[in-house]
Amino acid sequence: MALVALSNTSDWELQFEDTQDVRGFRVLDQDGSDTGATVTDMIVDTDAERVTMIEVSDGKQYPAADISIGDGAIYVTGDYHVNEDGPTFTRYSEMEGYGTVRRRTT
């Protein structure tokens, strides 16, 4: 398994960058409270051609399959959190081709 931070490679890119690049997103806990951290990087397993971990500004890492994404923020619990008064979050692992990376062609 070859792991590399997405920001440290020009050889790999997210296949669905417009919907799955969470770098810079706020990090929320299981109660929806802002932790004060942001996503700083995405760790790629180049053998599996998939994002496997999310790295945040407080130094923690979370499995990519266990986050939920929505409206410029991620939940790090892997649980669904749907709030009628707030945004809807979708579990990363249920997004089409979630975390798929490909070798750059140019």
Side-chain angles (χ1 to χ4, degrees):
M1 174 173 25
L3 298 178
V4 62
L6 193 57
S7 64
N8 290 339
T9 182
S10 59
D11 294 337
W12 295 89
E13 66 185 355
L14 288 168
Q15 184 170 344
F16 300 99
E17 188 167 354
D18 57 333
T19 59
Q20 296 182 14
D21 189 348
V22 296
R23 290 174 289 184
F25 281 29
R26 297 174 298 127
V27 178
L28 308 177
D29 66 15
Q30 69 184 39
D31 298 321
S33 299
D34 195 322
T35 65
T38 57
V39 178
T40 56
D41 221 332
M42 302 172 79
I43 308 302
V44 173
D45 177 343
T46 59
D47 294 336
E49 297 185 351
R50 180 164 310 283
V51 172
T52 58
M53 299 293 286
I54 303 299
E55 189 170 84
V56 300
S57 59
D58 62 6
K60 295 178 183 172
Q61 291 185 338
Y62 299 96
D66 290 343
I67 67 168
S68 298
I69 303 172
D71 199 26
I74 66 165
Y75 278 100
V76 294
T77 64
D79 297 332
Y80 285 98
H81 289 275
V82 180
N83 182 338
E84 291 180 15
D85 299 325
T88 300
F89 285 76
T90 303
R91 190 167 179 152
Y92 196 56
S93 61
E94 293 190 1
M95 297 177 80
E96 179 184 345
Y98 88 98
T100 304
V101 296
R102 61 182 172 212
R103 191 172 287 279
R104 288 186 191 269
T105 56
T106 57

